[in-house]
């Protein structure tokens, strides 16, 4: 009896066997990847928006690292290769990647050398997806929490607002209300001037509200001195309260209302542990990070606004640009004197949030000029 199998059927059968083997390998690979629970990566991703970057996807940060590595390899291989400097956007993304591997240990392991390139690629894609889920979820949770908290803080202020603020409806906020309008007003404009208030509310081009001006809530009591524009900047009461609300607990934020200018001890943090997961302690954050200040300022600006859902651009105001302006203020100081000013500012923040201890990070002791060192050299 002659065989009915043709060369074509043998080829199809062979391909089916190959496909079956590949599918089986894929299942085994996926099982290997997901041995680390996705929940742990999602939880780890909650740090991304808070101290790494406001909007950039995790995958884009890793892709920028890969681009830099490939470019460096090509330049080493070719002696005639021209060194192409990174664009400001590429440089900003790479700095964010450096923060990512600092705060997300899983990423540091994933981008290292791997025996199997396909496995590494699958691991990175899976991790990026879970980290991204945690990042965006945390930003949404923080926004919802501040939305309600801000209404409570403002309603408890004296004299009480009229009309009072709703904890779930934002239409009555922003420039629609005199209190939030004053907090959001750029310090370059005088909110007490009725004509200027009207001009801002009517979107007149000479009084646009953009990220090129600091909003008054960033300053101590909203006071801005154009001859000393950095005086009181990033010391606003509600900014500190919002930081406490996100990184310690909503209850600890209320302690700021009566704290005056006296740095708070770390006792409210210990109290908050009993009722709420302490974000700063989970992150092992012992100092206030500049990107955390930028994140909180952006979230607070959104909470004060009448914008009902998160968006990068609100009318003329770009939240991403606002965030980057704050990050650059801290991370790109213009002079050695500015470095000292920023260290003093961050020490003020550290004492405000974590207490008076462990300030050597910002102001190290001059040990060589103290008695122990002097006596040893005598």
């Amino acid at each position: 009896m002659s065989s009915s199998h043709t060369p074509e059927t043998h080829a199809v059968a062979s391909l089916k066997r190959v496909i079956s083997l590949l599918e089986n390998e894929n299942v085994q690979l996926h099982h290997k990847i997901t041995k680390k629970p996705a929940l742990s990566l999602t939880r780890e991703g909650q740090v991304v928006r808070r101290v790494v970057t406001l909007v950039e996807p995790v995958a884009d940060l890793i892709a920028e690292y890969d681009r830099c590595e490939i470019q460096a390899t090509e330049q080493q291989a070719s002696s005639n290769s021209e060194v192409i400097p990174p664009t400001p956007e590429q440089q900003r993304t790479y700095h964010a990647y450096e923060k990512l591997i600092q705060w997300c240990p899983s990423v540091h392991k994933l981008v290292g050398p791997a025996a199997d390139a396909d496995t590494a690629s699958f691991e990175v894609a899976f991790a990026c997806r879970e980290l991204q889920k945690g990042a965006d979820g945390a930003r949404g949770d923080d926004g919802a929490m501040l939305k309600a908290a801000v209404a409570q803080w403002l309603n408890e202020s004296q004299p009480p607002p009229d009309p009072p603020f709703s904890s779930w409806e934002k239409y009555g906020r922003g420039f629609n209300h005199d209190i939030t309008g004053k907090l959001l007003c750029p310090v370059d404009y005088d909110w007490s001037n009725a004509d200027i208030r009207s001009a801002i509310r009517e979107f007149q081009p000479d009084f646009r509200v953009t990220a090129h001006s600091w909003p008054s809530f960033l300053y101590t009591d909203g006071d801005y001195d154009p001859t000393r524009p950095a005086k009181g900047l990033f010391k606003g009461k509600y900014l500190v309260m919002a930081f406490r609300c996100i990184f310690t607990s909503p209850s600890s934020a209320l302690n700021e209302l009566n704290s005056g200018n006296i740095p708070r001890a770390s006792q409210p943090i210990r109290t908050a542990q009993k009722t709420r997961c302490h974000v700063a302690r989970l992150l092992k954050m012992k100092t206030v990070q500049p990107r955390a200040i930028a994140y909180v300022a952006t979230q607070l600006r959104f909470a004060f606004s009448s914008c009902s859902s998160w968006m990068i651009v609100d009318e003329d105001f770009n939240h991403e640009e606002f965030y980057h302006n704050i990050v650059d203020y801290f991370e790109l100081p213009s002079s050695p004197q500015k470095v000292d000013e920023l260290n003093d500012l961050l020490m003020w923040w550290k004492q405000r949030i974590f207490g008076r201890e462990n300030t050597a990070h910002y102001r190290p002791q001059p040990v060589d000029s103290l008695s122990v060192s002097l006596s040893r050299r005598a």
Side-chain angles (χ1 to χ4, degrees), residues 145-146 148-150 152-153 156 240-259 264-279 352-353:
M145 179 172 57
L146 273 186
V150 159
Q152 178 186 357
W153 302 340
E156 292 179 358
V240 178
M241 291 176 68
F243 193 101
R244 284 179 174 274
C245 190
I246 291 174
F247 285 95
T248 61
S249 71
S251 59
S252 72
L254 295 175
N255 294 322
E256 189 66 24
L257 283 172
N258 300 315
S259 67
R264 300 292 296 177
S266 55
Q267 184 175 355
I269 293 175
R270 299 191 187 101
T271 303
Q273 275 187 300
K274 299 177 182 178
T275 57
R276 182 177 182 269
C277 189
H278 185 338
V279 173
R352 209 76 188 183
I353 304 300

Side-chain angles (χ1 to χ4, degrees), residues 311-330:
M311 56 181 62
I312 296 176
V313 179
D314 175 17
E315 301 295 349
D316 289 326
F317 193 91
N318 189 311
H319 287 103
E320 184 178 11
E321 188 175 5
F322 177 61
Y323 173 87
H324 288 319
N325 285 343
I326 299 176
V327 170
D328 290 347
Y329 180 87
F330 282 97

Side-chain angles (χ1 to χ4, degrees), residues 19 23 38 121 124 131 230 248 299 308 316 318 343 347 373 375:
I19 291 172
E23 288 177 343
S121 178
V124 170
L131 290 169
T248 61
Q299 284 276 22
S308 60
D316 289 326
N318 189 311
N343 282 337
M347 184 168 66
S373 295
S375 62

Side-chain angles (χ1 to χ4, degrees), residues 214-291:
W214 297 126
S216 67
F217 73 81
L218 293 180
Y219 284 83
T220 304
D221 298 325
D223 293 335
Y224 170 69
D225 182 354
T227 64
R228 300 177 61 190
K231 180 183 178 182
L233 181 59
F234 301 116
K235 290 185 177 181
K237 176 179 68 175
Y238 290 118
L239 181 62
V240 178
M241 291 176 68
F243 193 101
R244 284 179 174 274
C245 190
I246 291 174
F247 285 95
T248 61
S249 71
S251 59
S252 72
L254 295 175
N255 294 322
E256 189 66 24
L257 283 172
N258 300 315
S259 67
N261 292 319
I262 302 173
R264 300 292 296 177
S266 55
Q267 184 175 355
I269 293 175
R270 299 191 187 101
T271 303
Q273 275 187 300
K274 299 177 182 178
T275 57
R276 182 177 182 269
C277 189
H278 185 338
V279 173
R281 186 157 294 177
L282 286 175
L283 298 179
K284 298 180 180 180
M285 182 191 293
K286 298 180 180 179
T287 59
V288 175
Q289 302 297 309
R291 290 180 182 237

Side-chain angles (χ1 to χ4, degrees), residues 42-333:
T42 304
R43 187 179 297 114
E44 189 174 317
Q46 293 174 357
V47 73
V48 174
R49 296 291 172 242
R50 290 166 172 161
V51 295
V52 176
T53 181
L54 180 68
V55 297
E56 290 176 293
V58 174
D60 287 1
L61 305 186
I62 296 177
E64 177 57 22
Y65 167 80
D66 291 341
R67 187 196 67 78
C68 291
E69 289 296 299
I70 293 171
Q71 186 181 59
T73 301
E74 291 175 346
Q75 290 174 352
Q76 290 177 354
S78 175
S79 57
N80 297 325
S81 177
E82 180 183 357
V83 177
I84 304 174
T87 66
E89 291 76 15
Q90 290 172 336
Q91 200 166 22
R92 191 187 299 279
T93 303
Y94 190 81
H95 287 164
Y97 165 78
E98 292 177 322
K99 295 293 182 182
L100 179 69
I101 60 173
Q102 175 186 345
W103 291 100
C104 294
S106 297
V107 176
H108 192 273
K109 297 174 184 177
L110 289 170
V111 298
D116 188 338
D118 291 335
T119 301
S121 178
F122 192 93
E123 286 181 341
V124 170
F126 174 79
C128 285
R129 184 173 65 251
E130 298 305 317
L131 290 169
Q132 190 71 45
K133 188 188 302 180
D136 295 338
R139 185 179 62 195
D141 291 344
D142 291 341
M145 179 172 57
L146 273 186
K147 176 183 177 181
V150 159
Q152 178 186 357
W153 302 340
L154 296 178
N155 286 336
E156 292 179 358
S157 61
Q158 295 297 328
D162 183 21
F165 292 96
S166 168
S167 60
W168 63 89
E169 176 59 59
K170 293 187 67 182
Y171 175 76
R173 303 186 190 185
F175 294 106
N176 298 321
H177 199 292
D178 284 342
I179 291 180
T180 47
K182 181 179 180 179
L183 291 166
L184 292 172
C185 182
V187 293
D188 302 286
Y189 307 148
D190 182 7
W191 181 256
S192 64
N193 186 313
D195 292 335
I196 292 179
R197 291 200 301 271
S198 297
I200 292 174
R201 287 166 171 163
E202 293 169 4
F203 300 97
Q204 291 187 15
D206 291 336
F207 292 94
R208 295 172 62 207
V209 178
T210 71
H212 296 291
S213 294
W214 297 126
S216 67
F217 73 81
L218 293 180
Y219 284 83
T220 304
D221 298 325
D223 293 335
Y224 170 69
D225 182 354
T227 64
R228 300 177 61 190
K231 180 183 178 182
L233 181 59
F234 301 116
K235 290 185 177 181
K237 176 179 68 175
Y238 290 118
L239 181 62
V240 178
M241 291 176 68
F243 193 101
R244 284 179 174 274
C245 190
I246 291 174
F247 285 95
T248 61
S249 71
S251 59
S252 72
L254 295 175
N255 294 322
E256 189 66 24
L257 283 172
N258 300 315
S259 67
N261 292 319
I262 302 173
R264 300 292 296 177
S266 55
Q267 184 175 355
I269 293 175
R270 299 191 187 101
T271 303
Q273 275 187 300
K274 299 177 182 178
T275 57
R276 182 177 182 269
C277 189
H278 185 338
V279 173
R281 186 157 294 177
L282 286 175
L283 298 179
K284 298 180 180 180
M285 182 191 293
K286 298 180 180 179
T287 59
V288 175
Q289 302 297 309
R291 290 180 182 237
I293 296 175
Y295 170 76
V296 171
T298 306
Q299 284 276 22
L300 183 58
R301 202 272 171 193
F302 172 69
F304 283 146
S305 75
S306 59
C307 192
S308 60
S309 59
W310 167 256
M311 56 181 62
I312 296 176
V313 179
D314 175 17
E315 301 295 349
D316 289 326
F317 193 91
N318 189 311
H319 287 103
E320 184 178 11
E321 188 175 5
F322 177 61
Y323 173 87
H324 288 319
N325 285 343
I326 299 176
V327 170
D328 290 347
Y329 180 87
F330 282 97
E331 296 186 357
L332 301 175

